[in-house]
Amino acid sequence: MFSFSLVRHVGSRGSRFMSTTVPTEAKSKWSRSKKIGVALAVAVGACSTVYLLDLALNDDFDVVTEKFRRRLPASERADRPHVVILGAGWGALNMLRKLRTDEYNVTVIAPTNYFLFTPLLPSTTSGMVEVRSIMEPIRRYCNRSNAQEARFIEVDCTRIDPATNTVHCVDNSAVKGTLAEFDIKYDHLVVAVGAETATFNIPGVKENTLFMKTVPDSIAIRNRVMDCLETASIPGQPHEEIARLLHFVVVGGGPAGVEYAAELHDFLQHDLKKNFPSIADKVKITLVEALPHILNMFDAKIISYVESKFQNTSSLELWTKSSVQAVEPKLAKIKLEDGTVRDVPYGCMVWATGNAPRKVVTDLIAQLGPKDQPVRRALSVDDNLRVAGTK
């Protein structure tokens, strides 16, 4: 099948008309090619727009410009300023990513050699997310242009001396060499050590509860939950002991505590009935919060929605305006809303009550004095994030 069209042809004797034929199959192929081309152009444009928006939102345009910047050759790197970064978390990693490591001699100091994506840590306690999937080796970010331009040392920084510009480091790992303590001098120091779990000096918290800050914490929680289930399944176990072992208490109504309580509930509801049918209906989860509501930093609608979900779940109880007074190995003393103190038996207690400064930070605050560091819970800084009272 052919279609006909008239094409004006100009020759040596003037103009005349001639007929040409174009195959229908060729026209349809050309039409399909145009559609595919347009679709590809739209897809590329959309991807480019998303990429540029991501760069703008995260202030990452330097990722593009960095590729075209002239880097210092090895011959010009002899007398570079020494930058020491303490920590391997969010702040330290972003600082390392943004820093021009060819212009500085960079050393990263942290007790762990990986970055941990902490928002997903509660999910690892139930096995919903594998621990390996939220860990990223910090040494990967020490490389630039296929060369190691930042040095990483896996040790704890136990003391900062701003007078001599030195940090004291101690190797607290399981395997120690002959050299386990040493000092490192710096020209610029970045303090990004994060925080530790706040215990509020409540007796027995450190000894008898489980925190949720690190990978070992997550593994310890998972093991404790499984041990409680297995021990409760032993034939002949007294009913009172089964009730205690299957009572899981979460202290802290912030995002971490609420998410862990929900993760634990889903894990017990979906897996427990299959693998532990004899004790599945005896499990109880209690979320304890000292304030009137959980998730206080969120919108009121979100708070109301989550609280209603918790209150309508038979195996999960929400105790607000309640505070832990003391924790014993198998018993917690909790002051309830009405002022009475109840002895609460538990099998596993997870403590997720907020953050407190690490000892290395509190020691630095004490060295600098109350004039420059009036706040005891964190380092005071100026508008450029420089620590007050230091050079």
Side-chain angles (χ1 to χ4, degrees):
M1 178 71 67
F2 293 89
S3 61
F4 296 89
S5 62
L6 292 178
V7 178
R8 184 171 181 83
H9 177 74
V10 180
S12 57
R13 294 188 178 180
S15 62
R16 68 179 183 271
F17 289 93
M18 60 177 295
S19 64
T20 61
T21 60
V22 180
T24 303
E25 292 85 350
K27 289 181 65 178
S28 62
K29 286 181 180 179
W30 172 244
S31 179
R32 284 198 300 269
S33 299
K34 285 176 66 178
K35 291 178 180 178
I36 293 172
V38 171
L40 286 173
V42 171
V44 170
C47 291
S48 301
T49 302
V50 171
Y51 178 68
L52 291 174
L53 285 174
D54 180 67
L55 291 178
L57 288 172
N58 294 288
D59 190 25
D60 274 345
F61 278 112
D62 54 339
V63 173
V64 178
T65 58
E66 181 71 12
K67 296 178 181 179
F68 303 98
R69 182 178 65 85
R70 176 188 174 274
R71 306 179 67 80
L72 287 180
S75 59
E76 299 180 21
R77 299 187 183 188
D79 299 321
R80 294 176 298 167
H82 188 198
V83 176
V84 174
I85 301 175
L86 302 181
W90 295 92
L93 181 62
N94 277 282
M95 177 67 187
L96 182 59
R97 288 178 61 239
K98 298 287 185 177
L99 192 61
R100 293 183 174 181
T101 53
D102 59 316
E103 298 178 2
Y104 298 93
N105 180 19
V106 182
T107 301
V108 181
I109 297 173
T112 56
N113 64 354
Y114 54 84
F115 165 77
L116 183 65
F117 190 79
T118 48
L120 288 179
L121 189 62
S123 300
T124 64
T125 59
S126 64
M128 187 71 68
V129 174
E130 183 56 43
V131 174
R132 293 176 300 177
S133 64
I134 64 170
M135 299 166 64
E136 188 75 15
I138 198 68
R139 292 183 184 274
R140 182 173 298 175
Y141 295 95
C142 293
N143 296 334
R144 298 288 193 280
S145 301
N146 298 321
Q148 185 176 356
E149 291 196 351
R151 178 178 58 168
F152 173 78
I153 308 175
E154 189 185 58
V155 290
D156 277 304
C157 174
T158 59
R159 187 174 67 253
I160 300 171
D161 189 349
T164 59
N165 281 17
T166 59
V167 292
H168 184 70
C169 302
V170 178
D171 181 10
N172 289 322
S173 62
V175 179
K176 295 182 177 64
T178 305
L179 180 64
E181 294 190 37
F182 54 91
D183 293 335
I184 294 180
K185 291 191 70 66
Y186 63 83
D187 296 303
H188 305 282
L189 180 66
V190 179
V191 182
V193 295
E196 62 185 21
T197 302
T199 63
F200 306 104
N201 295 320
I202 297 173
V205 170
K206 286 186 177 180
E207 297 81 6
N208 302 310
T209 67
L210 298 173
F211 298 155
M212 192 167 50
K213 275 283 186 185
T214 64
V215 170
D217 291 342
S218 169
I219 296 172
I221 292 172
R222 187 190 302 187
N223 291 340
R224 181 62 177 264
V225 170
M226 294 308 301
D227 282 345
C228 287
L229 297 175
E230 294 291 356
T231 305
S233 300
I234 294 176
Q237 194 75 266
H239 293 295
E240 297 79 7
E241 187 65 4
I242 292 176
R244 181 190 71 81
L245 290 167
L246 298 182
H247 186 200
F248 301 97
V249 180
V250 182
V251 183
V258 171
E259 186 175 355
Y260 173 68
E263 286 282 354
L264 180 61
H265 174 266
D266 291 345
F267 165 70
L268 296 176
Q269 288 298 311
H270 291 94
D271 293 352
L272 197 63
K273 291 180 180 179
K274 263 191 305 188
N275 300 317
F276 298 90
S278 61
I279 61 173
D281 59 341
K282 299 179 175 66
V283 172
K284 178 182 174 184
I285 303 170
T286 301
L287 178 63
V288 181
E289 169 56 42
L291 296 176
H293 297 282
I294 60 175
L295 300 175
N296 292 280
M297 66 291 297
F298 288 90
D299 185 77
K301 291 182 179 179
I302 296 177
I303 295 173
S304 176
Y305 174 79
V306 176
E307 287 182 345
S308 66
K309 282 288 186 181
F310 275 42
Q311 291 163 353
N312 293 328
T313 304
S314 58
S315 60
L316 204 158
E317 290 189 5
L318 177 61
W319 294 358
T320 56
K321 299 181 182 179
S322 304
S323 58
V324 177
Q325 303 298 302
V327 183
E328 299 174 6
K330 296 182 179 181
L331 191 76
K333 295 184 180 297
I334 300 179
K335 186 177 181 180
L336 302 179
E337 183 179 356
D338 58 5
T340 60
V341 178
R342 181 190 296 185
D343 290 340
V344 180
Y346 68 90
C348 175
M349 178 176 285
V350 175
W351 195 268
T353 57
N355 298 320
R358 296 190 183 276
K359 188 177 183 302
V360 65
V361 173
T362 56
D363 289 347
L364 179 59
I365 291 173
Q367 288 184 65
L368 297 175
K371 180 181 178 182
D372 294 311
Q373 296 292 328
V375 181
R376 301 293 297 175
R377 58 185 173 84
L379 285 169
S380 299
V381 298
D382 63 13
D383 294 339
N384 295 310
L385 296 181
R386 292 176 297 197
V387 176
T390 61
K391 295 183 287 183

